[in-house]
Short mmCIF file of all heavy atoms in Angstrom, two decimals:
data_model
loop_
_atom_site.label_atom_id
_atom_site.label_comp_id
_atom_site.label_asym_id
_atom_site.label_seq_id
_atom_site.Cartn_x
_atom_site.Cartn_y
_atom_site.Cartn_z
N ILE A 1 0.34 20.61 2.28
CA ILE A 1 0.92 20.55 0.93
C ILE A 1 2.07 19.61 0.93
O ILE A 1 2.98 19.72 1.74
CB ILE A 1 1.35 21.97 0.49
CG1 ILE A 1 0.13 22.95 0.41
CG2 ILE A 1 2.10 21.83 -0.88
CD1 ILE A 1 0.56 24.36 0.13
N ILE A 2 2.01 18.60 0.07
CA ILE A 2 3.07 17.62 -0.09
C ILE A 2 3.74 17.91 -1.44
O ILE A 2 3.10 17.84 -2.47
CB ILE A 2 2.53 16.17 -0.07
CG1 ILE A 2 1.68 15.90 1.17
CG2 ILE A 2 3.67 15.19 -0.28
CD1 ILE A 2 2.45 15.91 2.52
N ILE A 3 5.02 18.24 -1.39
CA ILE A 3 5.77 18.44 -2.60
C ILE A 3 6.52 17.15 -2.86
O ILE A 3 7.55 16.86 -2.27
CB ILE A 3 6.79 19.61 -2.50
CG1 ILE A 3 6.07 20.90 -2.18
CG2 ILE A 3 7.64 19.75 -3.77
CD1 ILE A 3 5.06 21.38 -3.19
N ASP A 4 6.01 16.30 -3.79
CA ASP A 4 6.60 15.11 -4.10
C ASP A 4 7.47 15.12 -5.35
O ASP A 4 8.18 14.14 -5.69
CB ASP A 4 5.61 13.96 -4.19
CG ASP A 4 4.52 14.21 -5.19
OD1 ASP A 4 4.36 15.30 -5.74
OD2 ASP A 4 3.72 13.20 -5.46
N ARG A 5 7.43 16.25 -6.05
CA ARG A 5 8.28 16.50 -7.24
C ARG A 5 8.86 17.88 -7.18
O ARG A 5 8.39 18.79 -7.80
CB ARG A 5 7.42 16.32 -8.50
CG ARG A 5 6.81 14.89 -8.59
CD ARG A 5 5.95 14.66 -9.72
NE ARG A 5 5.23 13.39 -9.58
CZ ARG A 5 4.38 12.95 -10.48
NH1 ARG A 5 4.08 13.65 -11.56
NH2 ARG A 5 3.77 11.78 -10.34
N PRO A 6 9.95 17.97 -6.43
CA PRO A 6 10.52 19.33 -6.20
C PRO A 6 11.16 19.87 -7.52
O PRO A 6 11.50 19.10 -8.46
CB PRO A 6 11.69 19.08 -5.21
CG PRO A 6 11.38 17.77 -4.61
CD PRO A 6 10.56 16.98 -5.61
N LYS A 7 11.21 21.17 -7.57
CA LYS A 7 11.88 21.85 -8.71
C LYS A 7 13.24 21.27 -8.92
O LYS A 7 14.01 21.00 -7.99
CB LYS A 7 12.02 23.36 -8.36
CG LYS A 7 12.67 24.18 -9.37
CD LYS A 7 12.73 25.66 -8.90
CE LYS A 7 13.45 26.50 -9.89
NZ LYS A 7 13.45 27.91 -9.40
N GLY A 8 13.55 20.93 -10.18
CA GLY A 8 14.88 20.36 -10.55
C GLY A 8 14.91 18.84 -10.56
O GLY A 8 15.93 18.26 -11.03
N THR A 9 13.81 18.20 -10.21
CA THR A 9 13.78 16.74 -10.25
C THR A 9 13.07 16.24 -11.55
O THR A 9 12.33 17.01 -12.14
CB THR A 9 13.09 16.11 -9.05
OG1 THR A 9 11.72 16.53 -9.00
CG2 THR A 9 13.79 16.51 -7.77
N ALA A 10 13.35 14.96 -11.92
CA ALA A 10 12.79 14.40 -13.13
C ALA A 10 11.43 13.75 -12.82
O ALA A 10 11.21 13.22 -11.73
CB ALA A 10 13.75 13.36 -13.67
N HIS A 11 10.59 13.73 -13.81
CA HIS A 11 9.29 13.06 -13.69
C HIS A 11 9.57 11.52 -13.57
O HIS A 11 10.41 11.02 -14.24
CB HIS A 11 8.44 13.34 -14.95
CG HIS A 11 7.06 12.86 -14.94
ND1 HIS A 11 6.74 11.58 -15.08
CD2 HIS A 11 5.91 13.55 -14.73
CE1 HIS A 11 5.42 11.43 -14.96
NE2 HIS A 11 4.89 12.61 -14.74
N PRO A 12 8.85 10.81 -12.73
CA PRO A 12 9.06 9.40 -12.49
C PRO A 12 8.87 8.55 -13.73
O PRO A 12 9.59 7.55 -13.89
CB PRO A 12 8.08 9.01 -11.39
CG PRO A 12 7.11 10.14 -11.30
CD PRO A 12 7.73 11.37 -11.88
N LYS A 13 7.95 8.91 -14.67
CA LYS A 13 7.73 8.10 -15.88
C LYS A 13 8.42 8.67 -17.08
O LYS A 13 8.68 7.94 -18.04
CB LYS A 13 6.18 8.02 -16.16
CG LYS A 13 5.45 7.25 -15.17
CD LYS A 13 3.95 7.14 -15.59
CE LYS A 13 3.13 6.43 -14.57
NZ LYS A 13 1.71 6.38 -14.89
N TYR A 14 8.74 9.95 -17.08
CA TYR A 14 9.34 10.62 -18.25
C TYR A 14 10.61 11.33 -17.78
O TYR A 14 10.63 12.54 -17.48
CB TYR A 14 8.37 11.60 -18.88
CG TYR A 14 7.04 10.99 -19.13
CD1 TYR A 14 5.92 11.23 -18.35
CD2 TYR A 14 6.83 10.17 -20.29
CE1 TYR A 14 4.70 10.63 -18.61
CE2 TYR A 14 5.60 9.62 -20.52
CZ TYR A 14 4.53 9.83 -19.69
OH TYR A 14 3.33 9.25 -19.98
N PRO A 15 11.72 10.60 -17.68
CA PRO A 15 12.95 11.14 -17.11
C PRO A 15 13.50 12.34 -17.81
O PRO A 15 14.34 13.10 -17.24
CB PRO A 15 13.93 9.95 -17.13
CG PRO A 15 13.35 8.95 -18.00
CD PRO A 15 11.91 9.22 -18.10
N ASP A 16 13.13 12.58 -19.06
CA ASP A 16 13.60 13.78 -19.77
C ASP A 16 12.89 15.05 -19.34
O ASP A 16 13.34 16.15 -19.59
CB ASP A 16 13.44 13.58 -21.32
CG ASP A 16 14.34 12.54 -21.86
OD1 ASP A 16 15.38 12.22 -21.22
OD2 ASP A 16 14.06 12.05 -22.93
N PHE A 17 11.75 14.89 -18.65
CA PHE A 17 11.00 16.04 -18.18
C PHE A 17 11.50 16.43 -16.77
O PHE A 17 11.44 15.60 -15.84
CB PHE A 17 9.52 15.73 -18.13
CG PHE A 17 8.69 16.89 -17.55
CD1 PHE A 17 8.36 18.01 -18.35
CD2 PHE A 17 8.35 16.90 -16.21
CE1 PHE A 17 7.68 19.03 -17.86
CE2 PHE A 17 7.63 17.99 -15.69
CZ PHE A 17 7.30 19.11 -16.51
N ILE A 18 11.99 17.65 -16.62
CA ILE A 18 12.50 18.15 -15.33
C ILE A 18 11.52 19.25 -14.87
O ILE A 18 11.21 20.18 -15.59
CB ILE A 18 13.93 18.76 -15.50
CG1 ILE A 18 14.86 17.77 -16.09
CG2 ILE A 18 14.41 19.28 -14.17
CD1 ILE A 18 15.07 16.51 -15.31
N TYR A 19 11.10 19.13 -13.62
CA TYR A 19 10.19 20.09 -13.04
C TYR A 19 10.92 21.38 -12.81
O TYR A 19 12.04 21.44 -12.22
CB TYR A 19 9.57 19.60 -11.72
CG TYR A 19 8.52 18.49 -11.93
CD1 TYR A 19 8.92 17.18 -12.01
CD2 TYR A 19 7.21 18.88 -12.13
CE1 TYR A 19 7.97 16.20 -12.21
CE2 TYR A 19 6.27 17.93 -12.33
CZ TYR A 19 6.65 16.56 -12.42
OH TYR A 19 5.68 15.62 -12.65
N ARG A 20 10.28 22.45 -13.32
CA ARG A 20 10.93 23.81 -13.16
C ARG A 20 10.25 24.67 -12.05
O ARG A 20 10.69 25.72 -11.74
CB ARG A 20 10.86 24.55 -14.50
CG ARG A 20 11.74 23.82 -15.55
CD ARG A 20 11.56 24.28 -16.98
NE ARG A 20 11.67 25.73 -17.09
CZ ARG A 20 11.10 26.40 -18.07
NH1 ARG A 20 10.41 25.77 -18.98
NH2 ARG A 20 11.24 27.69 -18.15
N VAL A 21 9.20 24.11 -11.46
CA VAL A 21 8.47 24.69 -10.33
C VAL A 21 8.12 23.55 -9.46
O VAL A 21 7.77 22.43 -9.93
CB VAL A 21 7.20 25.44 -10.83
CG1 VAL A 21 6.42 26.00 -9.66
CG2 VAL A 21 7.59 26.55 -11.77
N ASP A 22 8.12 23.72 -8.13
CA ASP A 22 7.69 22.65 -7.18
C ASP A 22 6.28 22.19 -7.53
O ASP A 22 5.40 22.97 -7.78
CB ASP A 22 7.72 23.16 -5.75
CG ASP A 22 9.13 23.26 -5.20
OD1 ASP A 22 10.05 22.67 -5.72
OD2 ASP A 22 9.26 23.97 -4.18
N TYR A 23 6.10 20.81 -7.47
CA TYR A 23 4.83 20.22 -7.85
C TYR A 23 4.48 19.19 -6.80
O TYR A 23 5.31 18.44 -6.32
CB TYR A 23 4.96 19.56 -9.25
CG TYR A 23 3.66 18.96 -9.77
CD1 TYR A 23 2.68 19.78 -10.29
CD2 TYR A 23 3.47 17.59 -9.83
CE1 TYR A 23 1.52 19.25 -10.80
CE2 TYR A 23 2.28 17.07 -10.37
CZ TYR A 23 1.31 17.89 -10.83
OH TYR A 23 0.16 17.38 -11.39
N GLY A 24 3.22 19.20 -6.44
CA GLY A 24 2.78 18.25 -5.45
C GLY A 24 1.29 18.15 -5.40
O GLY A 24 0.58 18.31 -6.40
N TYR A 25 0.80 17.88 -4.18
CA TYR A 25 -0.64 17.75 -4.01
C TYR A 25 -1.08 18.13 -2.59
O TYR A 25 -0.22 18.26 -1.71
CB TYR A 25 -1.09 16.27 -4.32
CG TYR A 25 -0.49 15.24 -3.39
CD1 TYR A 25 -1.15 14.82 -2.25
CD2 TYR A 25 0.81 14.74 -3.57
CE1 TYR A 25 -0.62 13.91 -1.37
CE2 TYR A 25 1.36 13.85 -2.70
CZ TYR A 25 0.70 13.41 -1.62
OH TYR A 25 1.22 12.52 -0.73
N LEU A 26 -2.42 18.23 -2.44
CA LEU A 26 -2.97 18.51 -1.11
C LEU A 26 -3.30 17.18 -0.47
O LEU A 26 -4.13 16.41 -1.02
CB LEU A 26 -4.18 19.40 -1.21
CG LEU A 26 -4.00 20.79 -1.81
CD1 LEU A 26 -5.39 21.48 -1.96
CD2 LEU A 26 -3.01 21.59 -1.06
N LYS A 27 -2.71 16.91 0.67
CA LYS A 27 -2.94 15.67 1.39
C LYS A 27 -4.39 15.54 1.82
O LYS A 27 -5.05 16.54 2.18
CB LYS A 27 -2.03 15.60 2.64
CG LYS A 27 -2.07 14.30 3.37
CD LYS A 27 -1.06 14.32 4.53
CE LYS A 27 -1.13 12.99 5.27
NZ LYS A 27 -0.14 12.97 6.35
N ASP A 28 -4.92 14.31 1.74
CA ASP A 28 -6.28 14.04 2.11
C ASP A 28 -7.37 14.76 1.27
O ASP A 28 -8.41 15.12 1.80
CB ASP A 28 -6.51 14.26 3.62
CG ASP A 28 -5.61 13.36 4.47
OD1 ASP A 28 -5.44 12.20 4.08
OD2 ASP A 28 -5.16 13.85 5.54
#
């Protein structure tokens, strides 16, 4: 599990959007 957008960080394209839960992806 790769968390590339941790809780509390802004979306890379939409800086007004703040992640309220850890978000990521499954590697490979």
Side-chain angles (χ1 to χ4, degrees):
I1 297 172
I2 305 294
I3 301 297
D4 57 349
R5 299 176 189 179
K7 178 179 179 178
T9 61
H11 189 284
K13 291 183 183 176
Y14 309 101
D16 291 341
F17 178 81
I18 305 299
Y19 287 90
R20 295 170 50 205
V21 177
D22 285 340
Y23 184 73
Y25 63 95
L26 299 177
K27 186 176 179 178
D28 298 324

